[in-house]
Amino acid sequence: MTGKTHIIGGLTASLAFAQITHYDPVILMVTGVAGAILPDICHGGSKIGRAMPVLSKIINTLFGHRTFTHSLLFLVIMAALMNAFVPNEAVIAGILVGMASHLVLDMATKNGIKLLFPLKITIRFPITATTGGAAESVVFAALSLFAVYFGYGVFLSYF
């Protein structure tokens, strides 16, 4: 999936999560978007890879693309690190929800991900889309509609 689809996916997942938690939805949205682009640090052409080219190159050289940073192991390590160093639960939750949305979206691509890294098993859904293709545009549109739906539900509770 492209960066814009991951961003709307992280936003949508954060808004959905905000409906079932007591966390501040604005914090969840901002951190959810950040978490949604984080796994692509392993790809130099990604939004985060271009912002942090040296770190991106190191991670890509060590692991490649869609392996370690697209795994449950990475998700667990990030959760442990954030629990140790980030005092705000909403920030931690938002980043993890965004990261999880990224993994789910990339499992919907033809290349899939190494979800169980270090095992070399590729995980993908039975029905997949080509990154940047027409099917991804449909996914983006659907996620946009869900973001409006969940956003309406979350922010309606403020009025």
Side-chain angles (χ1 to χ4, degrees):
M1 298 286 167
T2 59
K4 69 178 185 173
T5 303
H6 283 305
I7 289 169
I8 195 70
L11 181 65
T12 303
S14 298
L15 286 167
F17 188 68
Q19 289 194 347
I20 60 170
T21 67
H22 64 280
Y23 298 130
D24 183 340
V26 175
I27 292 173
L28 286 176
M29 287 188 312
V30 171
T31 57
V33 168
I37 63 171
L38 180 61
D40 274 344
I41 188 67
C42 62
H43 188 286
S46 69
K47 292 183 182 305
I48 192 167
R50 288 191 309 269
M52 306 172 94
V54 174
L55 182 58
S56 178
K57 180 69 174 169
I58 291 168
I59 292 171
N60 186 275
T61 300
L62 290 172
F63 302 108
H65 183 49
R66 292 189 178 180
T67 60
F68 173 63
T69 63
H70 286 68
S71 71
L72 294 175
L73 176 62
F74 184 64
L75 200 63
V76 168
I77 289 171
M78 289 299 296
L81 287 172
M82 288 189 294
N83 276 323
F85 298 109
V86 178
N88 189 321
E89 285 183 25
V91 170
I92 296 168
I95 290 173
L96 294 176
V97 166
M99 288 175 65
S101 76
H102 184 109
L103 301 184
V104 169
L105 286 170
D106 275 357
M107 285 191 297
T109 64
K110 293 186 185 302
N111 292 334
I113 62 172
K114 304 290 190 233
L115 185 65
L116 303 174
F117 181 88
L119 299 178
K120 296 181 187 220
I121 301 167
T122 299
I123 306 291
R124 67 179 147 268
F125 293 126
I127 298 173
T128 60
T130 303
T131 300
E136 182 177 347
S137 296
V138 172
V139 170
F140 180 85
L143 287 170
S144 297
L145 290 173
F146 280 121
V148 171
Y149 173 77
F150 290 125
Y152 180 75
V154 166
F155 291 105
L156 188 62
S157 65
Y158 282 106
F159 300 108

